[in-house]
Amino acid sequence: IGSVLRKAGNGKFPLNFSEIQDILGIGRNAAYAIVKKGYFSTVRIGGIIRISKRSFDAWLDEKSKSCQVCDDT
């Protein structure tokens, strides 16, 4: 259901690593590296890590202003 609502434009659902990879056009290792650096809020549910969409979007907006997305991974 989450993926259906996410596609419908509801921005409240957390992102997973593959979505971060797709959005940024990066590989798995780079996605894990930027999450590990703590640039945005995460939650661990069992063995699964989810990334706060709101904090990810804020980080991406800030990085986009300087055109340096993921330059320090």
Side-chain angles (χ1 to χ4, degrees), residues 1-63:
I1 243 177
S3 63
V4 172
L5 291 174
R6 201 177 291 120
K7 288 178 184 174
N10 187 328
K12 295 182 181 179
F13 287 90
L15 301 169
N16 60 39
F17 280 94
S18 65
E19 291 167 326
I20 297 292
Q21 289 174 245
D22 290 344
I23 292 167
L24 298 177
I26 60 175
R28 180 178 173 170
N29 291 340
Y32 278 94
I34 61 172
V35 169
K36 185 177 179 181
K37 288 185 179 194
Y39 292 135
F40 19 82
S41 301
T42 61
V43 63
R44 181 180 290 272
I45 305 167
I48 300 170
I49 298 173
R50 294 289 185 245
I51 298 99
S52 161
K53 182 166 180 357
R54 182 173 292 165
S55 68
F56 175 80
D57 288 345
W59 172 82
L60 186 59
D61 287 345
E62 183 62 33
K63 286 292 187 179

